[in-house]
Amino acid sequence: MSDFEQKKLRAEELRKELNHHIYRYYVENENDISDYEYDMLMRELDSIEKEYPELLTPDSPTHRVGGQADGLFETVVHTVKMLSLQDAFSHKEVREFDARVKDVFSSAEYVVEPKIDGLSVSLEYTNGVFTRGSTRGSGENGEDITANLRTIKTIPLRLKKDIPFIEVRGEVYMPREVFLKIVEKQELNGEKPFKNPRNAAAGSIRQKNPKITAERNLDIYVFNIQQVEGVEIKGHYESLVFLKELGFKTIPFFNKFDNIDDTLKEIERIGEIRYTLPFDIDGAVIKTDDFSMRETIGSTAKFPKWALAYKYPPEEKETKLVDIEINVGRTGVLTPTAVFEPVLVAGSTVSRATLHNEDFITEKGIRIGDTVKIRKAGDIIPEVLCVVEHCDNSTPYKMPDFCPSCNSPVHREVGEAAIRCDNPDCPAQLLRVLIHFCSRDAMDIEGLGDAVLETLLNQGLISKIADIYRIDYDKIAQLEGMGKKSADNMRNAVEKSKQNDLSKLIFAFGIRHIGQKASKLLSDHFLTLDNIISASKEEILNIEGFGEIMADSVVDFFSLEQTKQMIEELKSFGLNMESQREIKDNRFEGMTFVLTGTLSTYGRKEAQEIIESYGGKASSSVSKKTTYVLAGEAAGSKLQKATDLGITIINEEQFAEMIK
Ligand code: IVH
């Protein structure tokens, strides 16, 4: 294959992968790879497209710049374009940047600052008074978020000096401590927690209601003068000092260097302290100090040629693998977990990481006792990257032949990576089954968490799902750490769960391939559990969104003798087995809604339930068939698609009107 053909294939692969990550990030609020990995993929594609411009396609993700305004806020035209920064990932690239600058000005000096991982905003002051604040948006047009920015206490509403006009640029961010508190609260309330401080800041700054922004305790670091009248400033260092005098909270540290070696040393120093800072940074910014030099050096359409962003790779640490633990999941799959000597990585101590399956261990050649390299994927989830050194006398790791919980033989099916224990009475599986049954999204039985269920199982107080409804509460009251009150609370929670909607019960059964959404579809479609039990595969396949594997799984599950017995028992305890879907009126009949962004008044689930209760459908992707897109804060590409297709976009207030 020629180089061109190889690059062509690679470009297609990269485009597909990047578009997938963009979708996951902007539409589903998830990220599977770190920003760093994302940047590397984008850069690889960019370099192929530069080498072979004929490979550039109109839909290439390299064309995307910044976020898109979506009509929820007034548009602000940035008179001084809010440029982005060119990235560098190695010292070599920093030196190349230096050479380009020095080619024009051999005496250029650089200011180095941390690169705050937040959202770029512009703040405008007329006669010393804060008049307008906006997002960066596309760089040319942003959105007016003045009311929300006013809630950030470190943004001065009046400057300490009266100057006719100044526009500054800064980064709004959420301090890590605030982020952790919010996430804790979200988890307690059963809400989907923010992924990282930047997502949290993004979700908070584009709120329609500034009160919500105010509660989020955002902060800002100001790092640039975009334009100023009535003051003469010659360089960047001087401007940061001036901004401080005006009352701005300026970038926390900035230093000036007259040579590239010291500049690089500062970049390294910032890299070393990055996880000790109370906020996230994703790099360091190197800026030519002198404004007149900047003007001569100039900018491209996207970024200034006088500045550079150095991006730090995710922190990697070496540690010793002391053990491989095997956990048995709900479906009997044996999952190996690496247990290593605790090590501080990306700001927190970690000692465990999943090893996924047997193939992962074999491919990486992981053995107990080895020195391994680890890092946090997306700066969050620990993962083992590779083996650095095998320990003396070590032998390849072998997955067990018998289940560590029940000692039954385990097996690996051809074509599958998973090793399974097939014993339906395996206590480890049983524990997982029970944990799932009682979990919040399933039967939501408070008081029956992991540890309590494990105790009940070990004490022989329960041995299957139906036993939950025949718990002996006198015995519970006598358990260590329990008492009459805990036993009463448990009884109330168990009793309450009997009234749950059918969809929760179906999800609680933990049928393979049947998640929350499929459970709801089954329940809405068939209305009673008996109807589902007697449904044929073909009837199940009639439900939109159901495929062969799912339909087979449902039929298989309900034909099992033990399922039938369990359902009989649950019926005898009085569990609700009917859909409580209430059709109020059919005002949304024939309409399809797509929900996007974070909905603050309703929450996604609630909005979906409302739509369905009025006979409408909630779908996850925008198409020509979509009737309305209900957009919350930080809505992403779905909104763009809706605009492109000319679909009506409504906000939460309009939605509230529609359901009155
Ligand atoms: S300077 C014209 N300095 O990084 C130069 N940007 O990747 C303007 N950022 O959109 C950028 N900390 O929001 C600059 N100390 C800093 C920064 C910084 C964070 C953000 C900024 C920009 C993005 C570019």
Side-chain angles (χ1 to χ4, degrees):
M1 212 190 291
S2 69
D3 182 59
F4 175 79
E5 281 164 340
Q6 264 176 24
K7 294 268 166 65
K8 187 171 176 220
L9 283 179
R10 180 69 187 142
E12 278 163 15
E13 212 172 83
L14 285 165
R15 243 170 249 139
K16 221 160 121 191
E17 198 173 339
L18 281 161
N19 280 330
H20 166 75
H21 291 305
I22 290 168
Y23 179 83
R24 289 277 289 155
Y25 186 76
Y26 288 102
V27 181
E28 299 182 338
N29 276 324
E30 301 278 351
N31 43 349
D32 311 316
I33 57 168
S34 65
D35 291 356
Y36 185 80
E37 288 164 313
Y38 176 85
D39 288 344
M40 297 305 266
L41 294 174
M42 190 65 96
R43 160 178 271 237
E44 192 186 340
L45 179 59
D46 196 47
S47 83
I48 296 178
E49 290 172 346
K50 286 216 169 82
E51 190 183 349
Y52 296 109
E54 60 270 47
L55 291 180
L56 188 65
T57 59
D59 67 336
S60 178
T62 50
H63 290 312
R64 269 177 207 268
V65 250
Q68 297 286 339
D70 58 22
L72 289 181
F73 295 87
E74 292 273 314
T75 302
V76 172
V77 178
H78 298 304
T79 37
V80 176
K81 208 169 154 187
M82 289 180 78
L83 294 173
S84 184
L85 288 168
Q86 187 183 11
D87 291 333
F89 297 92
S90 67
H91 282 204
K92 186 170 161 265
E93 289 171 68
V94 178
R95 286 187 186 280
E96 284 164 3
F97 161 79
D98 175 54
R100 288 195 298 274
V101 173
K102 295 284 168 64
D103 216 23
V104 192
F105 292 106
S106 58
S107 62
E109 292 183 313
Y110 301 118
V111 175
V112 181
E113 300 163 9
K115 184 170 183 303
I116 315 293
D117 200 7
L119 290 125
S120 208
V121 297
S122 140
L123 311 174
E124 291 165 70
Y125 291 79
T126 309
N127 297 324
V129 177
F130 178 47
T131 44
R132 188 165 69 163
S134 52
T135 62
R136 175 171 170 266
S138 67
E140 283 169 26
N141 300 315
E143 290 171 309
D144 188 330
I145 50 162
T146 314
N148 292 347
L149 288 170
R150 274 187 211 282
T151 71
I152 300 178
K153 300 191 183 61
T154 39
I155 293 182
L157 299 180
R158 170 169 274 287
L159 300 178
K160 288 189 178 162
K161 289 182 185 172
D162 273 352
I163 40 174
F165 180 76
I166 186 167
E167 179 187 355
V168 301
R169 181 169 172 180
E171 196 83 351
V172 168
Y173 69 96
M174 184 177 279
R176 204 174 297 125
E177 206 174 302
V178 174
F179 165 75
L180 292 173
K181 272 200 195 127
I182 292 183
V183 165
E184 199 180 321
K185 219 162 132 194
Q186 285 173 318
E187 278 169 352
L188 266 176
N189 294 340
E191 295 163 21
K192 195 171 175 198
F194 289 127
K195 278 265 153 165
N196 54 43
R198 191 195 32 203
N199 283 10
S204 307
I205 203 68
R206 289 189 73 264
Q207 286 282 343
K208 260 294 178 191
N209 181 354
K211 265 197 196 143
I212 299 176
T213 311
E215 284 163 11
R216 300 278 168 85
N217 285 317
L218 297 173
D219 210 332
I220 192 168
Y221 277 124
V222 170
F223 53 70
N224 207 43
I225 295 182
Q226 295 293 95
Q227 44 176 335
V228 63
E229 282 169 25
V231 191
E232 182 78 24
I233 298 169
K234 294 207 170 60
H236 185 61
Y237 193 94
E238 188 191 331
S239 76
L240 291 174
V241 175
F242 176 65
L243 286 171
K244 216 172 196 169
E245 283 167 12
L246 288 182
F248 286 110
K249 183 170 171 185
T250 47
I251 199 87
F253 44 90
F254 48 95
N255 288 299
K256 195 157 76 167
F257 302 94
D258 60 9
N259 66 79
I260 197 64
D261 289 328
D262 288 343
T263 304
L264 281 165
K265 269 191 208 140
E266 175 69 353
I267 292 172
E268 284 310 302
R269 186 189 72 82
I270 298 177
E272 271 156 33
I273 59 160
R274 76 182 273 211
Y275 293 111
T276 65
L277 299 170
F279 47 85
D280 280 2
I281 68 167
D282 62 338
V285 188
I286 309 133
K287 301 173 179 176
T288 305
D289 186 50
D290 189 293
F291 285 166
S292 65
M293 288 186 189
R294 284 186 180 187
E295 211 151 297
T296 311
I297 296 166
S299 302
T300 72
K302 281 194 199 168
F303 46 74
K305 291 196 246 177
W306 44 261
L308 190 70
Y310 180 88
K311 296 281 195 87
Y312 297 111
E315 191 178 35
E316 292 175 1
K317 283 280 176 77
E318 287 179 14
T319 182
K320 194 174 158 195
L321 184 78
V322 290
D323 198 7
I324 294 180
E325 266 180 23
I326 303 290
N327 296 305
V328 186
R330 180 157 58 90
T331 53
V333 174
L334 272 57
T335 306
T337 302
V339 182
F340 36 78
E341 283 175 358
V343 57
L344 184 70
V345 57
S348 72
T349 305
V350 290
S351 57
R352 307 168 75 82
T354 181
L355 293 174
H356 307 287
N357 53 44
E358 187 176 31
D359 292 349
F360 183 87
I361 298 178
T362 314
E363 275 159 26
K364 305 234 172 214
I366 295 168
R367 303 174 181 185
I368 294 173
D370 286 356
T371 303
V372 290
K373 197 179 267 185
I374 63 154
R375 74 162 176 215
K376 282 193 193 155
D379 261 358
I380 297 172
I381 302 155
E383 64 179 1
V384 174
L385 280 178
C386 60
V387 171
V388 181
E389 200 183 352
H390 284 310
C391 97
D392 290 343
N393 312 323
S394 68
T395 48
Y397 179 78
K398 198 176 156 308
M399 289 287 282
D401 294 321
F402 298 93
C403 171
S405 175
C406 68
N407 232 6
S408 309
V410 294
H411 82 278
R412 179 173 170 169
E413 240 158 65
V414 188
E416 264 202 40
I419 291 182
R420 273 175 212 283
C421 161
D422 286 326
N423 173 12
D425 298 321
C426 170
Q429 281 181 58
L430 191 57
L431 176 62
R432 299 273 147 218
V433 167
L434 292 168
I435 290 173
H436 174 75
F437 187 86
C438 299
S439 63
R440 194 188 297 265
D441 289 333
M443 293 301 270
D444 193 14
I445 308 181
E446 225 176 287
L448 283 183
D450 304 13
V452 174
L453 284 168
E454 195 170 353
T455 311
L456 300 194
L457 204 60
N458 290 340
Q459 303 268 338
L461 290 169
I462 51 173
S463 60
K464 56 180 189 296
I465 285 178
D467 291 348
I468 291 171
Y469 295 94
R470 52 165 80 91
I471 289 177
D472 182 340
Y473 294 101
D474 291 335
K475 285 199 179 141
I476 298 286
Q478 282 156 24
L479 289 176
E480 212 187 301
M482 294 294 226
K484 175 103 177 49
K485 185 137 198 289
S486 315
D488 283 346
N489 288 343
M490 191 186 289
R491 186 206 310 265
N492 290 340
V494 169
E495 283 304 310
K496 190 172 148 226
S497 75
K498 291 181 180 174
Q499 307 308 322
N500 281 343
D501 183 49
L502 174 62
S503 61
K504 279 179 103 61
L505 181 64
I506 297 171
F507 178 59
F509 288 151
I511 308 167
R512 268 180 96 183
H513 310 295
I514 304 299
Q516 247 178 304
K517 181 142 193 217
S519 305
K520 180 98 177 67
L521 289 172
L522 277 170
S523 149
D524 286 354
H525 186 87
F526 291 106
L527 300 172
T528 69
L529 188 62
D530 284 340
N531 287 345
I532 300 176
I533 294 170
S534 57
S536 66
K537 180 179 165 182
E538 287 64 38
E539 283 170 315
I540 296 173
L541 278 172
N542 278 336
I543 306 177
E544 206 187 301
F546 268 66
E548 294 270 334
I549 296 177
M550 290 163 83
D552 278 337
S553 182
V554 174
V555 172
D556 289 351
F557 178 80
F558 287 109
S559 61
L560 286 175
E561 212 35 61
Q562 47 203 106
T563 307
K564 289 181 185 157
Q565 205 183 328
M566 169 179 72
I567 290 171
E568 278 319 304
E569 285 186 80
L570 294 180
K571 262 188 193 161
S572 74
F573 294 123
L575 267 74
N576 169 52
M577 307 227 164
E578 291 182 4
S579 162
Q580 288 159 352
R581 183 161 79 113
E582 179 194 347
I583 306 213
K584 293 170 184 147
D585 62 56
N586 276 344
R587 66 180 77 180
F588 291 159
E589 194 175 295
M591 297 185 189
T592 304
F593 288 69
V594 171
L595 314 180
T596 179
T598 312
L599 303 175
S600 48
T601 320
Y602 296 100
R604 223 166 243 243
K605 248 194 217 162
E606 203 190 332
Q608 198 169 323
E609 277 167 16
I610 296 172
I611 292 163
E612 283 164 3
S613 72
Y614 285 118
K617 262 202 330 195
S619 160
S620 59
S621 54
V622 179
S623 73
K624 278 191 212 135
K625 288 187 195 153
T626 309
T627 324
Y628 292 110
V629 168
L630 171 54
E633 50 164 314
S637 64
K638 281 190 200 177
L639 211 50
Q640 186 58 45
K641 191 161 175 202
T643 317
D644 294 345
L645 293 174
I647 286 156
T648 312
I649 297 163
I650 52 168
N651 61 24
E652 284 184 90
E653 282 154 35
Q654 290 164 313
F655 182 66
E657 279 299 313
M658 290 165 86
I659 58 172
K660 252 188 193 163

